[in-house]
């Protein structure tokens, strides 16, 4: 049976479901907490949070910026996670496809970048499978990978 995955806004009615989501011990150093990301979205007007839902239940979280590095048309995905109990079910793959479809539909999108720790081989392979290509390391030592909307499949 295929699970139904959707992206939904995070608001005052559902934010607590995303605050305490966890990663397994070996993944915890790879991402900041969802609580931190939700707080960022309240202070940075270009940051947007989305809840990943599977069959109507919260299953993951993402945060993106519609003006990364203060460059119009540059979208940055800063957080992308699936809650530990929901991992390994294909939810992340479906959610990333939905996110890229959503971002591709933005009228000003020129490039989409994503950040991850250079030692995170799982993230590297996952993002590469969507067409992201590494293009450098940022000031915090994170890998930057990009995709050009024209290259979406």
């Amino acid at each position: 049976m295929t699970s139904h995955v959707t992206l939904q806004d995070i608001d005052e009615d559902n934010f607590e479901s995303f605050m305490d989501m966890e990663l397994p011990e070996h993944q915890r150093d790879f991402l900041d907490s969802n609580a931190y990301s939700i707080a960022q979205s309240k202070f940075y007007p270009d940051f947007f949070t989305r809840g990943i839902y599977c069959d109507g239940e919260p299953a993951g979280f993402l945060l993106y910026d519609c003006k990364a590095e203060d460059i119009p048309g540059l979208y940055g995905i800063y957080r992308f996670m699936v809650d530990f109990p929901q991992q390994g079910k294909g939810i992340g793959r479906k959610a990333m496809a939905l996110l890229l479809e959503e971002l591709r539909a933005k009228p000003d999108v020129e490039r989409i970048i994503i950040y991850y720790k250079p030692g995170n081989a799982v993230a590297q392979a996952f993002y590469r499978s969507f067409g992201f290509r590494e293009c450098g390391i940022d000031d915090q030592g994170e890998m930057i990978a990009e995709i050009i909307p024209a290259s979406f499949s």
Side-chain angles (χ1 to χ4, degrees):
M1 185 170 110
T2 303
S3 300
H4 181 66
V5 176
T6 59
L7 302 181
Q8 298 179 27
D9 289 331
I10 295 178
D11 58 28
E12 66 186 53
D13 295 324
N14 66 5
F15 80 94
E16 289 183 9
S17 298
F18 301 94
M19 297 281 281
D20 297 327
M21 286 185 171
E22 294 187 9
L23 294 170
E25 186 69 37
H26 69 278
Q27 294 177 358
R28 290 187 184 147
D29 290 337
F30 293 139
L31 287 175
D32 288 328
S33 73
N34 293 352
Y36 180 77
S37 298
I38 290 168
Q40 283 180 301
S41 74
K42 300 306 170 195
F43 295 101
Y44 296 101
D46 297 323
F47 281 26
F48 296 91
T49 56
R50 304 287 274 148
I52 299 169
Y53 281 77
C54 180
D55 296 330
E57 296 297 319
F61 174 83
L62 63 91
L63 171 78
Y64 72 87
D65 179 359
C66 69
K67 197 172 172 186
E69 301 173 16
D70 293 323
I71 300 171
L74 179 60
Y75 282 68
I77 303 169
Y78 299 137
R79 307 285 182 280
F80 186 87
M81 67 86 70
V82 174
D83 196 20
F84 179 47
Q86 299 297 327
Q87 291 184 5
K89 300 177 182 178
I91 295 168
R93 183 157 297 284
K94 290 176 184 179
M96 179 58 75
L98 289 170
L99 175 60
L100 291 175
E101 181 181 323
E102 183 176 305
L103 297 182
R104 180 178 54 201
K106 304 285 185 186
D108 65 335
V109 67
E110 294 177 15
R111 283 186 332 155
I112 300 168
I113 56 177
I114 195 157
Y115 299 84
Y116 55 91
K117 300 269 190 238
N120 190 342
V122 172
Q124 179 187 44
F126 179 76
Y127 299 135
R128 277 187 179 170
S129 74
F130 284 95
F132 283 94
R133 297 294 172 244
E134 294 173 348
C135 59
I137 303 282
D138 73 2
D139 294 341
Q140 287 79 41
E142 294 210 343
M143 180 62 66
I144 304 168
E146 71 176 355
I147 191 168
I148 310 297
S151 68
F152 284 123
S153 52

